[in-house]
Amino acid sequence: VVGVASCLVSSYHSLIWHDMTKNVSRAVAILSFCINALAMGVAWKHFEVGDDGAGNTELDNVDERFDALAVFAIINFVTQAILVMVSNLGVSRHETEKAASDGPVVGSPAILYLSLINLMIYLLRGALLGSVSEDVTDGDSGIDANSMYTVNSYISLIAVAVGLAASAAGVLHYLLFSHVTKTVTFGFGVVQLLLVLTALATASMELNLQEDNEDVGAIEKRTEVQNGFAIVQALLHLLWLGAIFAYGSDDGLNSEYKLLSGVPENLSGQSGHLGVAVAAVMAFAINIGVLSLASETVNTNYNDALDGVTDGLLTRANRAVGDLAFFALVSGTVGAAATILSFMHFFSWTLISRWNAIVIGVVSLMLNIVAGGYGIRVLELDDDGIANGEDLDDKFESLAALTIVQIVTQLLTVLAALLLTTNLNFSPFLSSEGMISSSSKWLPLAVGAVSLLIYLARAGVALNALHDVVRDLHDGDFDDTLSEINVTAVELLLTTVVSSVVGVASCLVSSYHSLIWHDMTKNVSRAVAILSFCINALAMGVAWKHFEVGDDGAGNTELDNVDERFDTLAGFAFINLISQFILVWVSNAGVSSTEGKGASSAMQKTSVKKEERKQANPLEAAAA
C-alpha cells in the first residue's frame, strides 16, 4: 500500500520536476523502503522456516502463493532502494550556481546510492555464503548442496570480495569526484562487471540443477536467496558502471590538487614516503609466506592422493582446510599484485599511482578477509572431524595464522597509500591533452585483441568442461568425463575461469587506453594488466601440475587418457601468461605531451620562489 503511494508520488514528481516534489517523493520513498525492509525480514524468516509447520510438524509443501509473496518482498526491497536513489536526481539552478562558487563538489547521488545498495547486497551475499559454508565445514549432514555448490560458492565469494572493494571505490569517487577517481573506478569496475556476470552464470547453473532433479539437486533456501541476489546484482552493477561513466564531464570534475593539502607540483623523480615502502615490504613478505605454504599444501595433497598415501597430510586436515588453501592462493596472488603497485607508487609518487595502489590494495584486503575467515574456521575446528584421532597438522595452523596476519599487513599498506601524501610528484595527467601520438599507440589494442580471442576461447573450453563435470556428478555417471580427469581438475577449472575473466577485462581496458591515449588510462590499464598477469601466474602453476600429473588419476589409478579439453586449458594458461606479460609491457608505452611543459612550469615556479626569498633576505642574496 505504501509502495503504491510512493510510486504515484514519484510519477507526479517526474511530471512537475520541482525541488518541492523532489523532496516529498524522496521522503515517501524512504518511508516505503523502511517498511519494505520489515517485510523482507519476515520473508527471510519464511524461507528459513520453509516446510516446517507450527509445533515442528513437517508440512507436505508450503502454499506457493506464500513463497511468491516472500520473493516479491525481496524484489520490492531492491526496487524501492532504486526508487529512493532516482528520486534524488536533478539539480536546481540555485544549487548549481552555489556549487560553482563553493569550489570542490561531490558527485551525483546516483553514484552514491548505487554504490551503497551494491555494498549492502554484497554484505548480505557474503553473510549467506558464510552461513552455509559454516554448516558445511561443521559436517552437518542435513545441509542440501548439489554438485555445483563448491564452484559457485568460490566464484561468488571472489565476486563479493572484489565487489565490496568496487563499491567502496564508488563511494570515494562520489566524495572526491575527480578525473583520477572516475578513470580508476571505471577501469576496475569493468573487472568487477565480468566477475558479476560469471557469478550469475554459476548461480544459474546451480539453480538449474535443482530444477532438473530435486532429489540430488536440492539446495538450501539461503543458497537460493544468494543466487537470486547474484542475478539482481548483475543489473545493479551495470547501472552503477553506467553512472560512473555518465556523470562528470571534464568541466564538472574537481581538480585533484584541490582535494589534498600540502601537495605542490614537484618535479618528477622524487621517491615517496618511506612508510609506503616499509608497509609494502611487510605485506610482500607475508604474501610470499602464504603462497609458499598454500602451494606446498596443495602440492602435497595432490601427491598423497596419487601415491595412495594413507597416513599423509590429508589425514591431518579438517573440513575447512581445502577452502583455506584455495583462498590463500587467490589472496596471496592478488596481494602480490597489490604490493607491486605499492612499490610502483613509492617510486612514481603521483596521484594516479596512489589511487591505483589504494583500489587494488582494497581488493586484496577483501580477499584477505575471506582467506582469513577460513583461517579462523580451521583453527576453530582444530582436530574436529579428523579421523583416527589425528591432530591438525602444524602446516595448516601456520597457514591459517599467516592469512590472519595478512589482513593486518594489507590494511597497513592501504592506509599508508591513503594517508601519506606529502610532496607528490608533478602529474602530467592533470592536463586535458593526451599523450604524444605515435605508432606505439595501437600496440595495447593489437595485443589486447589477440589476448582477448585466446581468453574467450579458453573460457569457452573451461565452461564446457565444467558443465560436463558437474552434470556427471549430478547424474552419478563416473564412466564419462569424470573418468578422464586427474586430481588437478577442479583447481584448473576455477583458476582458468577467474584468470580468463580478469584477463578479458584487462584487454578491454587496454583497448580503451589505445583509443583515449592519456596518462590516466595508461596507468589504469597497466595496473589491471599487472593484476591479470599475477592471476595468470597462479593459473599457470596449476597447469604445470596438471601436466606433471598427466594420466595418473586419484588414488594412483592410471587413466586411459586425460580429457583433451583439460590439456588445452593447461596449454592456454602458458600462452596467456606470455601474452599478458607483453600487454603489461606495451601498456607502459607512450610519452605525455605535457610532461616537458609540466617540468618547465614547476622549475619556473621554483625559480620565482627562490628569487622572492633573496629579496626578502639580504644575507641569502649576498651569498648568492
Side-chain angles (χ1 to χ4, degrees):
V1 170
V2 181
V4 169
S6 174
C7 296
L8 294 175
V9 173
S10 295
S11 301
Y12 180 70
H13 165 55
S14 287
L15 298 175
I16 303 301
W17 202 243
H18 194 274
D19 287 277
M20 286 190 293
T21 56
K22 169 185 173 180
N23 281 275
V24 172
S25 66
R26 181 173 56 190
V28 178
I30 291 172
L31 172 63
S32 176
F33 173 79
C34 293
I35 296 175
N36 269 282
L38 170 62
M40 192 195 72
V42 178
W44 190 290
K45 189 63 180 177
H46 168 83
F47 282 126
E48 186 179 328
V49 172
D51 293 337
D52 289 338
N56 203 28
T57 303
E58 188 170 335
L59 304 174
D60 292 333
N61 203 0
V62 171
D63 190 305
E64 291 183 354
R65 291 174 295 181
F66 291 89
D67 284 338
L69 288 176
V71 171
F72 276 135
I74 297 171
I75 295 173
N76 265 141
F77 178 72
V78 176
T79 59
Q80 196 61 38
I82 298 173
L83 192 57
V84 171
M85 177 199 69
V86 298
S87 294
N88 204 45
L89 296 177
V91 181
S92 69
R93 295 181 179 84
H94 171 71
E95 288 175 350
T96 304
E97 295 167 0
K98 185 176 183 298
S101 63
D102 288 346
V105 295
V106 295
S108 167
I111 297 173
L112 176 63
Y113 290 142
L114 280 170
S115 298
L116 291 177
I117 291 169
N118 273 309
L119 189 67
M120 178 183 63
I121 296 178
Y122 283 127
L123 288 172
L124 285 172
R125 290 176 64 190
L128 289 168
L129 289 163
S131 173
V132 176
S133 179
E134 183 179 11
D135 289 343
V136 170
T137 53
D138 273 337
D140 189 346
S141 59
I143 294 298
D144 290 326
N146 61 33
S147 52
M148 193 63 193
Y149 165 74
T150 299
V151 173
N152 185 42
S153 62
Y154 281 9
I155 295 295
S156 295
L157 277 171
I158 292 173
V160 165
V162 180
L164 287 170
S167 300
V171 174
L172 283 175
H173 171 55
Y174 165 77
L175 295 174
L176 301 179
F177 205 54
S178 67
H179 295 84
V180 174
T181 58
K182 177 178 179 177
T183 304
V184 177
T185 305
F186 181 78
F188 289 103
V190 172
V191 177
Q192 176 59 11
L193 173 63
L194 294 175
L195 283 173
V196 165
L197 294 176
T198 305
L200 182 150
T202 56
S204 300
M205 290 174 70
E206 188 170 27
L207 290 171
N208 287 335
L209 286 178
Q210 181 191 18
E211 294 172 359
D212 178 56
N213 186 341
E214 290 189 1
D215 292 336
V216 295
I219 59 177
E220 292 288 304
K221 292 291 184 182
R222 293 169 290 178
T223 305
E224 285 189 59
V225 174
Q226 193 282 133
N227 289 336
F229 277 138
I231 296 170
V232 170
Q233 197 139 44
L235 175 61
L236 286 176
H237 188 78
L238 277 171
L239 292 173
W240 176 85
L241 199 62
I244 297 292
F245 182 79
Y247 289 108
S249 62
D250 287 343
D251 296 332
L253 294 166
N254 291 313
S255 169
E256 274 73 20
Y257 283 119
K258 289 182 180 179
L259 303 172
L260 295 170
S261 58
V263 185
E265 292 182 338
N266 293 319
L267 292 175
S268 298
Q270 173 178 294
S271 295
H273 195 289
L274 191 61
V276 173
V278 171
V281 168
M282 289 192 301
F284 186 74
I286 296 297
N287 283 322
I288 293 299
V290 167
L291 284 172
S292 299
L293 269 178
S295 300
E296 183 182 358
T297 297
V298 173
N299 189 59
T300 304
N301 286 345
Y302 286 156
N303 293 335
D304 286 354
L306 288 170
D307 298 336
V309 176
T310 57
D311 60 347
L313 200 61
L314 285 174
T315 62
R316 299 187 295 277
N318 59 38
R319 287 179 292 268
V321 163
D323 300 324
L324 170 64
F326 177 78
F327 281 102
L329 285 173
V330 173
S331 67
T333 301
V334 177
T339 51
I340 288 172
L341 289 171
S342 292
F343 282 124
M344 291 177 67
H345 171 49
F346 172 75
F347 288 110
S348 60
W349 203 239
T350 62
L351 286 168
I352 188 71
S353 65
R354 170 178 177 258
W355 191 246
N356 280 330
I358 290 171
V359 172
I360 290 293
V362 174
V363 169
S364 176
L365 179 62
M366 294 299 104
L367 288 168
N368 293 158
I369 290 173
V370 175
Y374 278 114
I376 293 172
R377 188 66 178 146
V378 166
L379 296 176
E380 182 184 355
L381 290 174
D382 195 22
D383 56 0
D384 181 31
I386 301 178
N388 303 321
E390 293 279 357
D391 293 330
L392 183 66
D393 194 280
D394 292 342
K395 287 182 181 177
F396 301 135
E397 292 181 348
S398 300
L399 178 59
L402 274 179
T403 55
I404 297 169
V405 174
Q406 192 180 29
I407 298 173
V408 179
T409 55
Q410 188 57 46
L411 178 61
L412 290 175
T413 304
V414 172
L415 289 176
L418 185 65
L419 301 177
L420 303 178
T421 59
T422 306
N423 297 327
L424 291 171
N425 288 320
F426 173 76
S427 302
F429 61 82
L430 295 178
S431 169
S432 59
E433 297 181 42
M435 296 191 298
I436 297 173
S437 182
S438 64
S439 58
S440 60
K441 173 179 180 178
W442 303 110
L443 283 175
L445 177 62
V447 176
V450 174
S451 295
L452 181 64
L453 294 176
I454 300 173
Y455 279 124
L456 292 175
R458 184 179 169 198
V461 173
L463 290 174
N464 179 256
L466 176 62
H467 176 271
D468 288 352
V469 168
V470 171
R471 176 59 59 182
D472 285 355
L473 283 171
H474 178 74
D475 296 338
D477 182 4
F478 295 93
D479 296 325
D480 195 5
T481 305
L482 289 178
S483 66
E484 298 176 343
I485 61 174
N486 60 32
V487 292
T488 66
V490 174
E491 285 79 8
L492 181 61
L493 288 173
L494 284 169
T495 54
T496 295
V497 170
V498 175
S499 61
S500 297
V501 166
V502 180
V504 168
S506 174
C507 295
L508 294 176
V509 173
S510 295
S511 301
Y512 181 71
H513 165 53
S514 284
L515 298 175
I516 303 300
W517 202 240
H518 196 277
D519 289 272
M520 284 192 292
T521 54
K522 168 185 173 179
N523 279 271
V524 173
S525 66
R526 182 174 57 191
V528 178
I530 289 172
L531 173 64
S532 177
F533 174 79
C534 291
I535 296 176
N536 270 282
L538 171 62
M540 191 204 71
V542 178
W544 189 289
K545 188 64 183 178
H546 167 84
F547 282 129
E548 184 181 324
V549 172
D551 293 336
D552 288 339
N556 203 28
T557 303
E558 186 170 336
L559 304 173
D560 293 332
N561 201 2
V562 171
D563 191 306
E564 291 182 355
R565 291 174 295 183
F566 291 87
D567 286 338
T568 302
L569 290 177
F572 273 141
F574 286 88
I575 295 172
N576 265 141
L577 183 70
I578 296 171
S579 69
Q580 198 60 43
F581 176 79
I582 297 173
L583 194 58
V584 171
W585 176 63
V586 298
S587 294
N588 204 43
V591 179
S592 168
S593 61
T594 60
E595 195 162 7
K597 298 177 187 176
S600 174
S601 173
M603 290 177 68
Q604 290 174 4
K605 291 180 181 179
T606 304
S607 176
V608 169
K609 290 179 180 178
K610 286 182 178 179
E611 194 64 34
E612 290 174 351
R613 286 200 303 269
K614 287 179 186 178
Q615 294 176 3
N617 190 338
L619 291 177
E620 184 176 345

